[in-house]
Amino acid sequence: MKKELEQLLALSLKLGNNLNQIQAAGGNTSFKDDKYLWVKASGFELKHAGPDSFVQCHRDKLESNLRKTYSSDPDISFEEAKVDLLSSMVDRNALLQPSVETSLHVSLQYPFVAHTHPTLVNALTCSPKGKDIVEELFSNVAVFVEYNYPGYALFTRINEESDHFRKKHNQDPQIIFLQNHGIVVSGDSPSEIDSLFEQVFSKIRKLIREELAIKDLDIPKVGLDALPALRMLFSNPKILKAHSTTLSQFFADSTTRFEKVAKPFCFDHVKYNRGAYLYVEPDQDLGNLIPEFEKALDIFRKAEGSDPKIVLIKGLGLIAAGTDNKAAETQLELFEDQMKISYYSGSFGGPVFLGEDEIELIGERVGDLGLGDLGLGTRDLGLGTQGLRKSAPERSRRGELVHDRIAIVTGAAQGFGEGIARDLFIQGANLVIADLNETTSLKLVRELNNPTNSNKAIFIKVDVSDPESVENLISDTVKEFGGLDLMISNAGVLFAGGLDEMEPDTFDFVTRVNYKGYFLCAKYASAVMKLQSKYKPDHFTDIIQINSKSGLKGSNKNFAYAGGKFGGIGLTQSFAMELMPYNIKVNAVCPGNLFDGPLWSDPKNGLFVQYLNAGKVPGAKTIADVKRFYEAQVPANRGCTVNDVMKAIYYIIDQEYETGQAVPVTGGQNMLK
């Protein structure tokens, strides 16, 4: 049994990681023996399945349910079938629950079953010739089932078609084509399922008039620059995902082309994207993009009663507007699949959309649930389990301040920057780790990101002293997330030494990073924030410099660092006066010494070593002597911590009245006068 379950997991992962097979979180798999059936649990994506991702059910109970007759009312029958399905679970108290499509899995005689939504298959099943072609090419192994609402109603229809096939062929169909839905393939082994899938794809490909050669295209700068404004024009600031390809440009080229993808084909297209999409046709150079978008958005709202989740813009491409990053990525993926289905369906007579009544029914029943598949979820969605996304996390005040906001932290690969980045991400911020250290930064990104997260961390390499590099940082952030809400200028360098030791080149380097770098971050970040303010005046944003206690008081034999930090406070006060009319708050946090961080404790280049070698601490013979010397200068008798700094950062973000402040976090070592 262990072998078969391992095969089931391997099959699930293989299918789930193939974008030609799976869109968004759809698809499920199962294995059954004489007594039990194991089916992929609701809430898991196949590509993230693990050994614990399958629900074990009693096969005899499932099969007895097949013989029951439920209400003719779909809503009532759904609930009746759900109760019986839950009663079949081996562990009735388990949080994980099976998909309502489990009835289909147990009804087929083959031990392995896979249900997916391949683009090529849906191009065929969402066309007027689909049924005829299936009957011509696959009549000895397959049936074609006309559209039914997923769940018990669909299973009933599948069972009827399968009965006809059984009477004719004396066996179950191994392939079930589902109109405007997908495909079910079953077999005695995963390898047999693989072979059947390949046969299906091979035969369909031979009928395709022209294969798609989709290429990524650059989003025009004028379009990219407009994204923060478009983000603010939505009812609430969202995450915008912009993607331009030869395919999206094809369908955005004209109203006629857009009409071929203007309605949904499948259940998930409605579930995640509402099935209504906005088309915008600005002038050729996108010069009037923002007013044209605003006008089109107003018309859409009046017609649909809500904002669109998908926008197709001529000359720019595709935009997905999600309530969070994961939602936006899912919406983008699904609409790109929708465009492929439409394009390929041209080989089979053109697209056939879902009917208006079906679109309305799906919208009424699922709304914006965002569940992984049409399943039963968990008994308490707020609890979550390993691999499950929490649907309604209880957020702290910190989380309320930054959840789903877009933040950049420069110098985030280590030290204070890493700690700040981690905390922001834990609280739900979408995070850009901006640093020169690519290896360490990418390691942090991999550690932070998890398929269950609704937010995302990315790395962008940046030299904060280089204008072009910082400008690209801001531009790439906007391209990834659609705007910017929080810029934390943390990157800094420190070289200790007296006047007789400090070389001019070293002084210039420290000043460029610590002083000029802050200026560049504020300059390019504020341009985006000002545009956002123009279109949503009540939207507050923040620029925060991580300064130092050395910015409040001179530092012996550390003048290059202290001078830059003193200058940083001058910039903070000046920027604050200039930017507050746009609700951009500019403040500085002045931490004490993070003694446990690499800046101080690195055994080769840390400040303890530098200060010991420079003789900055009279009588010190060891690193421990230097550390005790500095701890003794703090009334709190300890160094600063990341959490100390975060309290100041969240205070700054929380209030709307203070700007231009340099907030000391020094344990009493530096006190305001």
Side-chain angles (χ1 to χ4, degrees), residues 77 287 302 312 458 484 656:
S77 66
K302 290 176 180 176
L312 205 57
I458 65 170
L484 179 61
E656 297 178 351

Side-chain angles (χ1 to χ4, degrees), residues 514-515 518 545 547 551 561-572:
N514 295 349
Y515 183 69
Y518 176 32
Q545 187 203 25
N547 197 281
Y561 180 78
K565 293 299 185 181
F566 263 77
I569 292 177
L571 292 179
T572 294

Side-chain angles (χ1 to χ4, degrees), residues 65-141:
N65 294 340
L66 300 181
R67 296 186 289 273
K68 289 188 175 182
T69 300
Y70 295 109
S71 171
S72 59
D73 185 319
D75 290 323
I76 297 176
S77 66
F78 181 92
E79 292 300 324
E80 291 174 338
K82 173 181 173 180
V83 170
D84 285 340
L85 178 56
L86 293 177
S87 70
S88 73
M89 294 169 58
V90 172
D91 182 1
R92 298 283 299 277
N93 295 317
L95 287 175
L96 299 183
Q97 297 181 3
S99 165
V100 292
E101 293 178 344
T102 301
S103 298
L104 167 61
H105 289 258
V106 76
S107 70
L108 298 170
Q109 69 184 52
Y110 302 97
F112 289 92
V113 178
H115 170 37
T116 64
H117 312 111
T119 302
L120 276 178
V121 169
N122 279 336
L124 180 64
T125 66
C126 300
S127 74
K129 297 180 181 179
K131 184 175 183 179
D132 292 340
I133 292 173
V134 166
E135 291 177 351
E136 178 184 347
L137 297 180
F138 306 102
S139 60
N140 61 326
V141 292

Side-chain angles (χ1 to χ4, degrees), residues 555-589:
S555 183
N556 184 30
K557 294 187 177 181
N558 193 23
F559 59 83
Y561 180 78
K565 293 299 185 181
F566 263 77
I569 292 177
L571 292 179
T572 294
Q573 294 177 357
S574 301
F575 295 157
M577 296 170 69
E578 179 180 345
L579 297 176
M580 193 59 192
Y582 306 97
N583 281 342
I584 304 170
K585 296 172 287 155
V586 187
N587 293 280
V589 175

Side-chain angles (χ1 to χ4, degrees), residues 232-252:
M232 292 296 107
L233 288 172
F234 283 90
S235 298
N236 294 298
K238 299 173 182 285
I239 299 298
L240 297 190
K241 292 287 178 181
H243 192 205
S244 182
T245 66
T246 49
L247 182 63
S248 62
Q249 294 285 15
F250 174 85
F251 284 106

Side-chain angles (χ1 to χ4, degrees), residues 40 144 450 607:
K40 191 215 68 164
F144 184 94
N450 185 293
L607 293 181

